[in-house]
Amino acid sequence: MTTEDTLRNKIILALVALLLLGGSLRAYAGSVNYSLNAGDNLLVNCTADELAVLPVNAKSVNVTCKSYVPAVTATAAPTVAPQPTAAPTAPPAPTTAPQPTVAPQPTSVPVTGASVGIWLSTAEIQALPMSGTGWSNVKAKADGSWGSPNLSDLNSDHDVLTLAGALVYVRTGNESYRAKVASAIMSAIGTESSSRALEISRNIQDYVIAADLINFKAYDAGREATFRSWLSAVRNQQFDGMSIIQSHEKRPNNWGTHAGAARVIIARYLGDTTDLNRAWLVFQGWAGDRSKYAGFSYGDLSWQCNSSAPVGINPVGCVKSGLNIDGVLPDDQRRAGSFTTNPPNENYVWEAMQGATVQAVVLNRAGFPALAASSQAIKRAAVWMYTVNGFPPDGDDTWIPFLLNKVYGTSFATDSGTVGLGKNMSFTDWMTGAR
């Protein structure tokens, strides 16, 4: 071992010792000379391409910021000095900084307790028209009776109607809508007692979006704190043996897509970037990247492109027995039966797309490229349903193509009538400015 190697290792081991004693490392912009006295800590965090640590002499070290590595903490100390591969018995020697193994951080960090635009921002809503069929529909729903909340009821519309009230509040500034929305949100708490994971996953999403839209914390900090505490707990609560988060990570069909939408919306509202990063990994695995996540439990695999490596959406260019199945949601299409070259129409596919589309849009707004994931998997799924399966959305699914056309620049056919109340979303004809 050279004198330089010995010196380098001494410095690295000294840095590791500093970390284990409670120190941490953060890089500073530009070039900085920094002197440490006994007992001092220096935090270095590189946000460029690579963090290189080079010895100068026995008392000095040169740290150069070349690439991004995650913030180093005491628990991450082993990654600062990885074990050498060439000489297993030698002391650890630095190479280049290891790449992060966690999901990338969002480019826009959620802001706790403020309106962060989980779904739409105040400015975006205030730019929308107050005329036309879309506005008339959302305004009528906001003005009407919303009935009673029931997070345990698959057919409840109270959540989507609450969203209507929040949208109209933001667009008009009329405080009576804000008050109505706040009361509706609080009234939903506790109605989940007889729910399965599916019901609460579908029904909770719009309450959280509505709370964000009315800036609930600024409006009523006390009630908002109660809502926030309940949200944090309810995502891990067991519902007939499965929580929202467990459903997202286990079920690759409509159950999981709605659970994923609920999970990312809650994480955004709470400012929980750790769970948001985890949800992003799971979404990528569902969309087709098994290197990110592959912990789902699948049913009949006959609609899968590769039954030994099942995914939530079949990959680009997949053909089976002469049938194009690129974009098929195998674990929902199977509900209509095993694979056939004459694919039947299956409503569960569009229900799964309701959850997946909301999930992708919320992740995208948080800085994760979910709409582009696996070669635009969400778009490819809609293309298959429209062109191969010949089954465009109807009923409570008609809000989907308005949103897809907005985010992808596509021209999927849309229903000319009033957009129905979806299982977790609606009013996209107005929100996208389509009419």
Side-chain angles (χ1 to χ4, degrees):
M1 178 180 294
T2 66
T3 301
E4 181 180 354
D5 287 337
T6 301
L7 180 58
R8 180 192 300 268
N9 289 333
K10 285 180 178 179
I11 294 170
I12 292 301
L13 291 173
L15 289 172
V16 173
L18 175 63
L19 290 168
L20 294 175
L21 289 171
S24 46
L25 299 173
R26 176 177 332 204
Y28 300 90
S31 298
V32 176
N33 291 325
Y34 197 91
S35 298
L36 294 179
N37 297 318
D40 285 348
N41 294 333
L42 178 62
L43 193 60
V44 179
N45 175 30
C46 178
T47 57
D49 287 332
E50 178 182 302
L51 188 66
V53 182
L54 298 175
V56 176
N57 52 49
K59 288 188 174 182
S60 299
V61 62
N62 183 30
V63 180
T64 304
C65 183
K66 295 181 179 179
S67 85
Y68 174 79
V69 294
V72 181
T73 63
T75 57
T79 64
V80 176
Q83 295 298 317
T85 56
T89 59
T95 53
T96 57
Q99 293 300 308
T101 56
V102 297
Q105 293 293 318
T107 57
S108 57
V109 179
V111 180
T112 302
S115 182
V116 298
I118 292 171
W119 185 251
L120 286 173
S121 68
T122 296
E124 287 170 315
I125 295 172
Q126 290 179 347
L128 295 172
M130 294 178 67
S131 61
T133 58
W135 169 252
S136 296
N137 181 38
V138 68
K139 178 71 161 50
K141 296 297 190 296
D143 289 338
S145 172
W146 300 349
S148 300
N150 190 348
L151 289 165
S152 304
D153 182 4
L154 277 176
N155 297 313
S156 176
D157 291 328
H158 187 268
D159 53 313
V160 186
L161 295 171
T162 300
L163 174 63
L167 291 167
V168 173
Y169 159 68
V170 176
R171 185 62 187 89
T172 65
N174 186 327
E175 288 289 328
S176 67
Y177 292 108
R178 194 182 198 186
K180 187 177 180 181
V181 169
S183 295
I185 291 169
M186 297 305 294
S187 70
I189 296 176
T191 65
E192 70 278 7
S193 59
S194 61
S195 178
R196 299 175 300 167
L198 177 61
E199 286 87 353
I200 190 167
S201 294
R202 286 190 350 188
N203 292 333
I204 201 172
Q205 299 171 42
D206 286 336
Y207 291 121
V208 186
I209 292 173
D212 179 57
L213 290 175
I214 68 168
N215 199 350
F216 196 10
K217 186 174 184 178
Y219 179 66
D220 189 328
R223 286 195 292 173
E224 194 275 342
T226 299
F227 176 64
R228 178 178 294 272
S229 177
W230 173 74
L231 273 184
S232 184
V234 81
R235 56 185 171 166
N236 291 302
Q237 183 176 333
Q238 292 293 303
F239 296 101
D240 195 26
M242 187 175 294
S243 71
I244 292 173
I245 289 176
Q246 288 171 334
S247 181
H248 182 217
E249 299 197 0
K250 194 71 173 176
R251 303 295 298 272
N253 50 31
N254 63 305
W255 283 63
T257 63
H258 278 285
R263 181 184 190 176
V264 300
I265 291 168
I266 292 171
R268 279 286 280 156
Y269 188 84
L270 297 177
D272 188 346
T273 54
T274 298
D275 196 52
L276 196 63
N277 274 291
R278 173 67 179 179
W280 166 231
L281 284 176
V282 177
F283 177 86
Q284 290 176 91
W286 176 81
D289 187 351
R290 289 174 55 89
S291 70
K292 298 297 192 298
Y293 182 81
F296 297 111
S297 178
Y298 291 90
D300 176 11
L301 300 175
S302 64
W303 283 97
Q304 293 284 346
C305 186
N306 180 356
S307 61
S308 65
V311 291
I313 299 182
N314 277 339
V316 173
C318 184
V319 176
K320 186 171 185 176
S321 299
L323 178 68
N324 172 16
I325 57 170
D326 168 348
V328 167
L329 275 65
D331 212 58
D332 289 287
Q333 186 61 38
R334 69 173 173 81
R335 263 90 176 282
S338 295
F339 175 80
T340 171
T341 55
N342 184 25
N345 297 157
E346 178 48 65
N347 285 316
Y348 275 113
V349 176
W350 280 119
E351 185 192 337
M353 284 289 285
Q354 289 200 37
T357 302
V358 168
Q359 188 179 170
V361 169
V362 173
L363 282 168
N364 224 73
R365 289 182 67 89
F368 300 99
L371 292 169
S374 293
S375 302
Q376 300 183 327
I378 299 294
K379 174 184 171 182
R380 291 190 293 104
V383 168
W384 189 84
M385 291 294 283
Y386 270 89
T387 62
V388 179
N389 199 216
F391 185 36
D394 61 6
D396 65 12
D397 304 313
T398 56
W399 63 266
I400 299 175
F402 287 100
L403 189 55
L404 295 181
N405 288 343
K406 177 70 173 181
V407 298
Y408 283 119
T410 49
S411 55
F412 293 117
T414 56
D415 196 304
S416 60
T418 300
V419 172
L421 298 179
K423 294 174 174 65
N424 62 332
M425 185 52 61
S426 188
F427 317 117
T428 51
D429 54 342
W430 178 69
M431 284 190 279
T432 61
R435 61 187 186 194

